[in-house]
Amino acid sequence: MAIKVGDTAPDFTLTSQTGESVSLGDFRGNTAVVLYFYPKDDTPGCTSEACAFRDSYQVFKDAGAEVIGVSSDSAYDHEQFAKKHNLPFILLSDSGSQVRKLYGVPATLWILPGRVTYVIDKEGVVRHIFDSMLDFKAHVDEALRTLKAIPA
């Protein structure tokens, strides 16, 4: 069952690129979260998207949000990807795609993991969902537009 706008975002715990366990619930009550699912580290589209989030990271922080990227790559692969592209945000390893399935992120052509961004407010409510495999920069633009519309 796919998560919808207005739903409470399901909590989960995954390993980050630094080897730490990160839970979505750790942010609840403190900060909004831009949770973006992407297919694979260091591929052209995923690199473009990650770098777009990197380039706007301070704007997200100023808007009261943390950016978290999720793919099925290993924590080690995430670490290498983050170092190579100077990514300042959290990357989580969903090696069995359990969280991807929990959120109902669709596959493209039934084989490629989808690219979906969720904007989750401080209370843990999903405020916006954006799904586009090819419009990488729009994930950033849509998330920022939504964050600016959420009352402080």
Side-chain angles (χ1 to χ4, degrees), residues 88-152:
F89 49 84
I90 300 166
L91 296 176
L92 297 177
S93 177
D94 185 21
S95 60
S97 297
Q98 297 95 338
V99 175
R100 183 177 290 278
K101 291 173 189 163
L102 177 66
Y103 275 73
V105 177
T108 302
L109 302 174
W110 300 280
I111 53 170
L112 294 173
R115 183 184 314 278
V116 179
T117 298
Y118 298 82
V119 178
I120 303 165
D121 69 18
K122 284 176 24 174
E123 286 72 43
V125 176
V126 176
R127 301 303 286 281
H128 187 66
I129 301 169
F130 183 72
D131 180 352
S132 175
M133 278 303 280
L134 301 176
D135 197 351
F136 317 118
K137 176 93 170 59
H139 285 265
V140 172
D141 296 339
E142 288 282 321
L144 285 171
R145 181 185 58 74
T146 302
L147 285 169
K148 290 175 183 175
I150 296 173

Side-chain angles (χ1 to χ4, degrees), residues 54-115:
R54 176 200 64 205
D55 295 346
S56 295
Y57 185 65
Q58 191 57 52
V59 180
F60 282 105
K61 295 300 281 183
D62 291 346
E66 183 56 65
V67 175
I68 300 175
V70 179
S71 81
S72 60
D73 294 295
S74 70
Y76 175 79
D77 289 341
H78 283 337
E79 178 185 30
Q80 299 307 305
F81 184 50
K83 282 181 182 176
K84 181 176 181 181
H85 299 287
N86 299 312
L87 305 179
F89 49 84
I90 300 166
L91 296 176
L92 297 177
S93 177
D94 185 21
S95 60
S97 297
Q98 297 95 338
V99 175
R100 183 177 290 278
K101 291 173 189 163
L102 177 66
Y103 275 73
V105 177
T108 302
L109 302 174
W110 300 280
I111 53 170
L112 294 173
R115 183 184 314 278

